[in-house]
Amino acid sequence: MNKWVSITFVLLSTAFLLFSWNIYRDEAVYEKKPADYDAEMQKQGRLVWQKYNCHVCHQLYGLGGFLGPDLTNVSEKGYHYVDAFLKNGAASMPAFNLTEEETNQLFEFLKASNASGSSNPKEYRKLWNGMIEQ
Ligand code: HEC
């Protein structure tokens, strides 16, 4: 192998390893919130989320449709807040006739997304080293 190819390979591998180390060393960015949800119910809740196609208009972790707001952390606004939207709908959101059980499961699912991520990337600040800060 040509000497310069080897040198480039070693340099890029070292850069990759250093950057990876830098990313994973900074635990604060990945700090999770306490997971105070029922794991079995949240699994059912994911099926409810899929069944009623919430993702067509809403995002989780920034991914999904963009007609409605990101719902990653909406559970922080409380059960009754979410329930009110589901029962009544809003300007561009239809009302959903969920059973109480479905609403409870869906809310556990939203609590799980809240525990595992943050929405609204606009609130992140980029640092000099490519990391972000909330
Ligand atoms: C056809 C598009 C559409 C679908 C499907 C939809 N929504 Fe919405 N939703 C919206 C829009 C648009 C808003 C914003 C309404 C407003 O603020 O006036 C909204 C608002 C909300 C809010 C309030 C968010 C906040 O932060 O204030 C919640 C909670 C919500 N939706 C939950 C759901 C859930 C759960 C589902 C699936 C069962 C769902 N939506 C399906 C369009 C949709």
Side-chain angles (χ1 to χ4, degrees), residues 74-75 77-87 93 103 106-107 110:
V74 77
S75 69
K77 294 182 180 173
Y79 178 90
H80 296 293
Y81 184 89
V82 173
D83 190 38
F85 273 93
L86 290 171
K87 287 209 169 84
M93 172 170 160
T103 307
L106 187 61
F107 194 70
L110 292 172

Side-chain angles (χ1 to χ4, degrees), residues 54 57-58 67-69 71 77 81 85-86 90 92-93 96 106:
C54 310
C57 300
H58 291 284
L67 187 63
L71 298 184
K77 294 182 180 173
Y81 184 89
F85 273 93
L86 290 171
S92 319
M93 172 170 160
F96 289 89
L106 187 61

